[in-house]
Amino acid sequence: MTTNWLLEAARNNAEWCDVMCRAHGLTGAFGPRVWSSPVRTPMYYPDAVTLDPAATAGEALAGIDAGDWASIKDSFAAFDELPGFEVLFEAEWIHRDPPTESAVDGDLVWGPVRDPDELRAWELAWSGGHDQELFKAALLDDVSVVRGRTAEGEIVCGAVLNASGEVVGVSNVFASGRELDEAWAGVLAMAVRLFPRRPLVGYETETATALRHGFTAIGPLRVWLNEGAG
């Protein structure tokens, strides 16, 4: 049976959102067609993720606090409208067959983030220097945070890899003062090292760089936001 990579990508992303919530002491729930959190999730993370294109708006709203600043990831761009919500952004799911090359050209040293201090340095590089304390040390028990650092020890590239089902999700890819292509090349090398022979999925608002590195666009998604009265 042919794998439905779109369903795998949506489920993998929901798994990553669930891990992020648990790291912040929150408990999400997987239903047949929607993952949701009954309380507001950490910044940048949705309160619900649809897992099936047949999921309804009512199902997406049922398990969350749908008030001010609630957000829903409509994984299949299936909703024409969502009462009280506006489209925050649209993006494209991506898929790649398992990479086989593990060597990276260039001067960066790639490896997994191993401890809370390095994770904080990673987050500061990812966020452009903003101390948000979004990426908690507990994440390191469940996902692989990877980084590329200079010979002087400065982290300048990175991403998060999370395995679920048949696939590995790629998210939070960044390059600070470097070309984004360099980050994607390093991420692929880390995927080979840490998760050999596993297909990769993720989503991007701008897909050009990922496509240059062997990914294929497989379907649209939308994120909806309730901006509230203010």
Side-chain angles (χ1 to χ4, degrees), residues 128-152:
H130 302 293
D131 191 1
Q132 299 172 315
E133 296 188 0
L134 176 63
F135 292 83
K136 304 291 189 182
L139 291 173
L140 299 179
D141 295 332
D142 294 304
V143 301
S144 294
V145 181
V146 300
R147 51 82 182 134
R149 67 185 183 196
T150 65
E152 294 74 29

Side-chain angles (χ1 to χ4, degrees), residues 67-175:
D68 294 358
W69 309 114
S71 61
I72 292 174
K73 184 169 289 174
D74 174 11
S75 299
F76 309 92
F79 304 149
D80 293 325
E81 61 179 359
L82 203 57
F85 289 70
E86 299 290 338
V87 175
L88 178 64
F89 68 84
E90 297 181 317
E92 192 80 17
W93 293 108
I94 55 175
H95 162 260
R96 190 193 193 286
D97 289 336
T100 57
E101 297 295 327
S102 59
V104 181
D105 295 329
D107 62 334
L108 297 184
V109 178
W110 281 86
V113 171
R114 297 293 192 188
D115 58 59
D117 289 341
E118 190 175 27
L119 181 60
R120 184 171 183 275
W122 182 98
E123 181 172 357
L124 288 171
W126 168 81
S127 66
H130 302 293
D131 191 1
Q132 299 172 315
E133 296 188 0
L134 176 63
F135 292 83
K136 304 291 189 182
L139 291 173
L140 299 179
D141 295 332
D142 294 304
V143 301
S144 294
V145 181
V146 300
R147 51 82 182 134
R149 67 185 183 196
T150 65
E152 294 74 29
E154 180 186 4
I155 294 175
V156 293
C157 294
V160 174
L161 303 175
N162 73 292
S164 71
E166 298 183 34
V167 301
V168 172
V170 180
S171 63
N172 301 93
V173 180
F174 73 89

Side-chain angles (χ1 to χ4, degrees), residues 1-5 7-8 166:
M1 184 172 61
T2 302
T3 300
N4 188 321
W5 298 118
L7 292 178
E8 288 280 340
E166 298 183 34

